[in-house]
Amino acid sequence: EGNSDVVMIASIDNKTKNVKLVSVYRDTFLSVGGGTYFKCNNAYARGGAKQAVQMLNSNLDLDIKEYVCVDWAAVVEVIDDLGGLDLNITQGEMNQINKYKKDVDGVTGKNTPNVTQYGLVHLDGTQATTYATSGDDFLRASRQRIVLQAMLEKAKKANPATLVKICNSVVDDISTTLSLDQMVSLAKDVTKYKISSTTGFPTDLTTKNMPRCGDTVIPADLVTNVKKLHEYMFDDATYTPSQTVQAISDTIVNTTGITADSAKINTSDYNETVGATGTDEIQKGSETTGGTNVQ
């Protein structure tokens, strides 16, 4: 197994059907199991989806039991079955899609045409998947949430038979704890779900070139970030991180020299993607705030 390209947590309020999405930056320096510290997406390479979930649970004090693990081909297939997505892309993003779509075609065997326009454009499954998997860690995570939001909105307009067909067609391409019946029942309820807010993790961070890892996202520090995450996801302002998280946090500080007071990179321009159909819409003012504008 290779590293995972996308790590995303969905917190669903079963009463209101409101969903909070958290992108965990794949290059974040965390414990990946067996006493090893590395980029967190390496957990998947070490032990598949179960290890990736275990990595999230131990580093972030979570108790995730259900997961869905998809490859690029499954994402392409779902987007195509939904009839493609209308996204607002920049000229630079158009060029990136055209440059990297061959990597996705390599997995699916398709021969996808170039995107020839930018602005609000209609993208097929391959083009939209490529859009979501290129760019730096912060921008890429934003794009992934924008694509997921667009998929949800498109699914809400699809008829139930189409949604059942999609569940049946992708069930063999994904690894999940959910049964086909559970997937179908979630799909049929899709109109009730609403993405209420999104963010990235960690929120307080810097980047550093680490031995063996290269350019890495360092939480500053993990305890601070996990507290903020629990307040964000569960409205819990009184939460205290476990001894496990405290110990992992201490090890990261000792290994990297990055503490809670270390220089921060401002990712606030990337975090809230609800209602956005493109990254241009969420970066208003990023050039004028004086924070680091990571492109």
Side-chain angles (χ1 to χ4, degrees), residues 1-2 42-54 67 69:
E1 305 273 6
N42 183 245
Y44 186 82
R46 290 166 175 271
K50 285 196 172 121
Q51 183 92 356
V53 170
Q54 178 54 43
Y67 64 80
C69 176

Side-chain angles (χ1 to χ4, degrees), residues 60-62 222-228 230-231 236-246:
L60 309 185
D61 266 356
L62 297 174
L222 186 62
V223 161
T224 305
N225 280 291
V226 172
K227 277 183 180 168
K228 288 187 174 184
H230 280 250
E231 184 163 2
D236 183 1
T238 60
Y239 157 81
T240 308
S242 66
Q243 283 179 305
T244 304
V245 166
Q246 187 67 61

Side-chain angles (χ1 to χ4, degrees), residues 159-224:
N159 65 47
T162 301
L163 296 175
V164 172
K165 174 177 164 279
I166 290 172
C167 291
N168 278 297
S169 66
V170 300
V171 72
D172 294 333
D173 299 332
I174 66 178
S175 146
T176 179
T177 48
L178 302 172
S179 67
L180 180 58
D181 284 350
Q182 285 173 303
M183 283 166 56
V184 167
S185 108
L186 280 168
K188 285 180 172 168
D189 272 352
V190 74
T191 53
K192 297 177 186 166
Y193 291 97
K194 175 175 175 283
I195 297 173
S196 57
S197 76
T198 75
T199 193
F201 180 90
T203 45
D204 296 19
L205 61 95
T206 189
T207 55
K208 185 173 181 177
N209 203 310
M210 294 295 294
R212 300 188 359 267
C213 294
D215 202 22
T216 308
V217 173
I218 317 287
D221 59 5
L222 186 62
V223 161
T224 305

Side-chain angles (χ1 to χ4, degrees), residues 102-204:
K102 64 179 185 298
D103 297 343
V104 181
D105 279 345
V107 175
T108 61
K110 293 178 190 283
N111 185 12
T112 304
N114 277 349
V115 180
T116 55
Q117 292 173 300
Y118 53 94
L120 189 61
V121 294
H122 187 75
L123 301 181
D124 69 16
T126 305
Q127 293 159 347
T129 302
T130 308
Y131 164 82
T133 49
S134 50
D136 74 25
D137 218 1
F138 312 118
L139 208 45
R140 189 195 306 117
S142 267
R143 288 177 183 151
Q144 286 156 6
R145 297 193 301 274
I146 287 167
V147 166
L148 196 62
Q149 288 161 195
M151 289 171 75
L152 179 63
E153 290 313 306
K154 206 75 194 272
K156 286 179 179 183
K157 298 188 181 92
N159 65 47
T162 301
L163 296 175
V164 172
K165 174 177 164 279
I166 290 172
C167 291
N168 278 297
S169 66
V170 300
V171 72
D172 294 333
D173 299 332
I174 66 178
S175 146
T176 179
T177 48
L178 302 172
S179 67
L180 180 58
D181 284 350
Q182 285 173 303
M183 283 166 56
V184 167
S185 108
L186 280 168
K188 285 180 172 168
D189 272 352
V190 74
T191 53
K192 297 177 186 166
Y193 291 97
K194 175 175 175 283
I195 297 173
S196 57
S197 76
T198 75
T199 193
F201 180 90
T203 45
D204 296 19

Side-chain angles (χ1 to χ4, degrees), residues 52-101:
V53 170
Q54 178 54 43
M55 176 275 295
L56 292 171
N57 286 340
S58 58
N59 285 278
L60 309 185
D61 266 356
L62 297 174
D63 186 22
I64 299 169
K65 293 195 171 70
E66 310 288 3
Y67 64 80
V68 180
C69 176
V70 299
D71 65 8
W72 284 352
V75 180
V76 169
E77 189 176 352
V78 171
I79 294 172
D80 281 338
D81 284 347
L82 288 169
L85 303 176
D86 295 321
L87 297 175
N88 213 329
I89 61 168
T90 64
Q91 188 172 6
E93 287 169 337
M94 178 189 79
N95 293 338
Q96 273 185 321
I97 293 169
N98 293 338
K99 182 177 175 187
Y100 294 112
K101 66 182 167 57

Side-chain angles (χ1 to χ4, degrees), residues 267-280:
T267 58
S268 58
D269 291 323
Y270 301 84
N271 291 341
E272 187 54 84
T273 52
V274 170
T277 58
T279 50
D280 255 15

